[in-house]
Amino acid sequence: MKLLFDHNLAPRLVRDLEHVFPGSRHVRNVELDEADDRQIWEHARDQAFVIVSKDDDFRQLAFLHGAPPKVIWLRVGNGPTSEIRQILATNVDSISEFGQSTEASLLVLPGLPF
């Protein structure tokens, strides 16, 4: 499954998670660094990406339009990139099941427990 990381996430997540999510990109890598949410949504839909974001707007688009594309919404606030990486790496199975689901359009992943 290919992930498309939104502006609010670090570009290095692509490299850090390449072994579990090959083919993933950051919006900067696909010339969408100045794009609005609608342009990112359309690119993800057209190129079969799953959007990963902390932005509530993508959660709302998933409810409004459904998939594709699918959205992984991270409820982590301003947590460090290491926390984002750990959340995604420890939820690989859930993310994979989500990607294979024909019905699901939104996966909410909470922050790490304290």
Side-chain angles (χ1 to χ4, degrees):
M1 172 182 338
K2 301 184 310 182
L3 305 179
L4 180 61
F5 295 99
D6 190 21
H7 299 106
N8 53 29
L9 299 170
R12 72 174 182 254
L13 287 167
V14 172
R15 181 191 67 235
D16 293 350
L17 296 167
E18 179 68 24
H19 64 288
V20 287
F21 300 110
S24 295
R25 298 287 181 264
H26 189 273
V27 291
R28 291 181 188 171
N29 302 126
V30 292
E31 299 179 15
L32 292 172
D33 49 336
E34 301 290 324
D36 62 23
D37 292 344
R38 175 62 74 186
Q39 291 168 307
I40 294 168
W41 180 269
E42 291 171 359
H43 179 82
R45 180 194 62 216
D46 296 346
Q47 301 300 316
F49 281 103
V50 173
I51 297 171
V52 181
S53 183
K54 297 188 295 184
D55 185 347
D56 186 55
D57 293 344
F58 285 109
R59 180 188 65 86
Q60 292 175 9
L61 286 169
F63 279 126
L64 220 118
H65 301 290
K70 293 177 179 255
V71 174
I72 298 173
W73 185 46
L74 302 169
R75 294 190 57 199
V76 296
N78 291 326
T81 299
S82 60
E83 181 181 355
I84 305 293
R85 181 177 48 250
Q86 186 175 357
I87 290 167
L88 293 170
T90 57
N91 284 285
V92 170
D93 290 339
S94 297
I95 293 169
S96 180
E97 288 174 22
F98 168 66
Q100 294 174 16
S101 171
T102 58
E103 298 175 13
S105 61
L106 177 69
L107 176 63
V108 179
L109 294 178
L112 298 173
F114 292 101

